[in-house]
Amino acid sequence: MVMWVFGYGSLIWKAGFNYDDRLVGFINGYRRVFYQGSTDHRGTSEYPGRTVTLEPAEGEVCWGVAYKISGKEDEQTALTYLEVREKQYDKKAYVDFYTEPKASTPAVSGVMVYIASSDKKLNRNYLGPASDEEIAKQIVRAQGPSGPNRDYLFQLEKALLQIGCEDRHVMDLAKEVRRIISESEL
Ligand code: SIN
């Protein structure tokens, strides 16, 4: 038995479960967006933070990592752990994962990924789009049991650069957050 999990947010730098392999690559048809509200990790109900989710986007790709988990026991342990950690993500999808930009066949099929949908009935924490300034202000202010929301953003920026991905949305937000922090220190 083998299970694969795709990480595009905190799962890139912190798996939290045993795995046998970790591949850098991408999935098709999605874009990474800071549209999900977090009240359990990077914010509170009073001041929700923002974490990434995936938005369907034709022609776009989202880079991240895929973890291979083998063996019934490790699989069960990983799933139980992820179901708690990703509990504010209301959807699981099974996607094709590619490691080569020009490849016509996926490196792995049926890779599981957690998505926070934009359906407010199923996902009451969904926040949706806003200007970079608004999102950045919210990130600067929020913190939760897993730490400051700004650390999530900076760690994501770093982890993406480490796998060779320059994600404009993430980098623009990180820049805006740094600007707000340095202004507040003047
Ligand atoms: C993920 O990392 O794949 C999901 C989003 C998150 O936990 O940050």
Side-chain angles (χ1 to χ4, degrees):
M1 288 282 275
V2 173
M3 175 174 95
W4 285 83
V5 179
F6 179 67
Y8 58 93
S10 63
L11 285 174
I12 301 178
W13 74 86
K14 184 183 174 228
F17 49 80
N18 293 333
Y19 58 86
D20 304 310
D21 204 359
R22 178 185 187 266
L23 300 180
V24 172
F26 62 89
I27 61 172
N28 281 320
Y30 288 100
R31 146 170 76 224
R32 177 182 7 248
V33 283
F34 264 86
Y35 293 175
Q36 172 64 359
S38 172
T39 60
D40 62 343
H41 284 298
R42 299 290 176 164
T44 58
S45 326
E46 198 182 354
Y47 295 118
R50 277 189 181 249
T51 55
V52 285
T53 183
L54 293 176
E55 179 174 76
E58 224 183 290
E60 295 202 29
V61 301
C62 176
W63 282 84
V65 296
Y67 295 101
K68 180 185 180 188
I69 305 148
S70 316
K72 195 116 206 78
E73 210 179 303
D74 276 354
E75 208 177 296
Q76 201 46 58
T77 309
L79 255 182
T80 307
Y81 167 76
L82 286 169
E83 288 295 305
V84 175
R85 170 165 161 184
E86 305 296 329
K87 66 179 181 303
Q88 296 197 334
Y89 288 67
D90 58 302
K91 250 178 80 179
K92 277 204 285 278
Y94 295 86
V95 295
D96 285 340
F97 172 81
Y98 298 81
T99 49
E100 293 296 329
K102 289 199 182 94
S104 51
T105 48
V108 192
S109 287
V111 178
M112 187 177 88
V113 58
Y114 286 89
I115 298 176
S117 77
S118 58
D119 183 340
K120 283 284 243 177
K121 281 199 215 86
L122 299 172
N123 176 20
R124 62 192 170 91
N125 289 315
Y126 184 74
L127 294 171
S131 67
D132 280 0
E133 196 185 350
E134 214 175 307
I135 294 178
K137 275 188 187 152
Q138 203 169 352
I139 290 175
V140 168
R141 170 180 222 175
Q143 62 174 320
S146 299
N149 202 177
R150 62 182 77 173
D151 289 357
Y152 176 95
L153 170 63
F154 295 149
Q155 273 169 312
L156 179 58
E157 183 192 37
K158 188 172 155 203
L160 286 172
L161 289 174
Q162 275 167 355
I163 62 166
C165 168
E166 290 190 10
D167 184 312
R168 222 35 288 154
H169 176 61
V170 174
M171 291 174 75
D172 285 350
L173 285 174
K175 194 170 153 203
E176 185 60 14
V177 164
R178 284 191 196 97
R179 190 189 64 76
I180 296 172
I181 295 170
S182 65
E183 266 185 11
S184 73
E185 283 165 353
L186 289 179

